[in-house]
Amino acid sequence: MAQSDAAAFPRVAGHPALDLVDTVHWRLDPQRAIDTLRDFDDVVSWCHQMNVRAATGAAKSAPSGAESDVAAREHRAVVALREAVYEAVFQHSSAAADLIAREHVDALARSSLSFDEPASAWVWVPPADLSGPRAAVAMSAHDLLTSDLTTARQCADDACGWVYLDRSPRRNRIWCTAAGCGNRNRVARHQAKQKG
Ligand SMILES: [Zn+2]
């Protein structure tokens, strides 16, 4: 899990905007923290893996020249949105919510409604340029922020920092994954007991 693997971003959160927050591993330990969204290509890969609707045709090949400046700026903007989601949901930061609101309005202004046959609904389609992923992320972030956040949780591990919606029947999920942080902490507790 400590390895940065763009091909397999974590998907444990129950909402894409929180899955985006989880692209930072070991968030609560600055010494160990790993940001797996290293560049714009990673953002595009993440959108594809999460089925976040982002028209990224323009971003298939590595952009060059002025385009790469735009890509770098879009990457930074998506990272800023990610951190804003974390701060708005878990610290109730109004500055973070303001950023998401501005990006959401901007995203809607640049997107169009298109009828999606399988879903039988009109859905927002982000612009088919390098700003598509940012628009898609902004709409997802807005969707999360304006939904019921009572089940938003952060993993109980000291360092992990992954976040998720607790949809367990008893609302008692305390780990990001039972096999990862749950198991590691159980083993550590057991070993501490043996020693003590
Ligand atoms: Zn965890």
Side-chain angles (χ1 to χ4, degrees), residues 1 26 155-157 160-162 174-177 180-182 184-185:
M1 191 164 68
W26 312 115
C155 177
D157 184 79
C160 170
W162 277 5
I174 62 168
W175 308 114
C176 58
T177 62
C181 284
R184 201 179 53 255
N185 279 275

Side-chain angles (χ1 to χ4, degrees), residues 4-173:
S4 164
D5 183 359
F9 292 106
R11 195 171 195 173
V12 304
H15 191 288
L18 289 182
D19 282 322
L20 182 69
V21 171
D22 294 344
T23 58
V24 176
H25 298 193
W26 312 115
R27 176 181 282 276
L28 302 180
D29 182 354
Q31 306 293 321
R32 263 206 289 175
I34 299 167
D35 189 341
T36 61
L37 282 189
R38 296 156 300 181
D39 53 25
F40 185 72
D41 285 350
D42 286 344
V43 172
V44 173
S45 301
W46 182 86
C47 287
H48 280 304
Q49 196 196 307
M50 297 295 157
N51 293 323
V52 169
R53 191 186 265 266
T56 48
K60 284 266 160 59
S61 55
S64 57
E67 278 241 296
S68 74
D69 290 346
V70 175
R73 207 162 55 232
E74 291 295 330
H75 167 248
R76 280 196 301 274
V78 168
V79 167
L81 267 170
R82 177 188 69 192
E83 297 310 301
V85 169
Y86 181 67
E87 288 164 22
V89 173
F90 293 96
Q91 297 158 7
H92 296 169
S93 158
S94 51
D98 283 348
L99 174 72
I100 291 166
R102 279 198 307 278
E103 288 280 13
H104 181 240
V105 169
D106 185 54
L108 292 181
R110 293 179 298 111
S111 301
S112 55
L113 273 174
S114 168
F115 192 74
D116 184 273
E117 290 288 352
S120 197
W122 289 86
V123 295
W124 285 105
V125 179
D129 58 26
L130 296 179
S131 72
R134 173 165 57 94
V137 165
M139 287 192 269
S140 179
H142 175 266
D143 172 68
L144 173 71
L145 253 62
T146 53
S147 68
D148 183 353
L149 294 172
T150 51
T151 61
R153 303 268 186 280
Q154 185 161 40
C155 177
D157 184 79
D158 287 344
C160 170
W162 277 5
V163 296
Y164 53 88
L165 297 177
D166 179 4
R167 295 205 174 107
S168 63
R170 291 163 174 263
R171 298 275 170 89
N172 60 353
R173 175 180 167 191

